[in-house]
Amino acid sequence: FDILGNKSVIACKNRALASMFEEVPLEGLPFIEAAISLEPNNNECINLKAMLLRAAGRFDEAIELYAEKDGK
């Protein structure tokens, strides 16, 4: 992420995933939000955001995320 920054979906996804492994999933949300802003229809990004939310115990938000996607 330090090299490519928030202009790369892959770098953003990798940094968000790293926060999961570091056991601070909420710190990954800004990175996955950046990836989603670059590619709003990228299912991998949506799934990773849901995984981060679930890991943080924010189950309702993860469910809402999928409900919003299905509604669009």
Side-chain angles (χ1 to χ4, degrees):
F1 184 82
D2 292 336
I3 295 170
L4 297 175
N6 63 357
K7 302 293 183 216
S8 166
V9 171
I10 293 171
C12 291
K13 287 183 350 186
N14 287 343
R15 185 59 195 98
L17 190 57
S19 72
M20 181 82 165
F21 293 127
E22 295 166 353
E23 298 183 14
V24 286
L26 294 180
E27 290 183 13
L29 288 178
F31 299 104
I32 201 60
E33 289 292 345
I36 291 170
S37 72
L38 293 170
E39 292 185 13
N41 296 319
N42 186 318
N43 286 330
E44 288 181 8
C45 293
I46 301 296
N47 290 335
L48 182 52
K49 181 176 179 181
M51 185 172 64
L52 292 169
L53 290 168
R54 285 190 313 260
R58 293 167 61 173
F59 302 107
D60 291 342
E61 291 177 62
I63 292 169
E64 288 175 18
L65 184 64
Y66 288 118
E68 289 173 8
K69 181 148 178 56
D70 286 342
K72 289 182 180 178

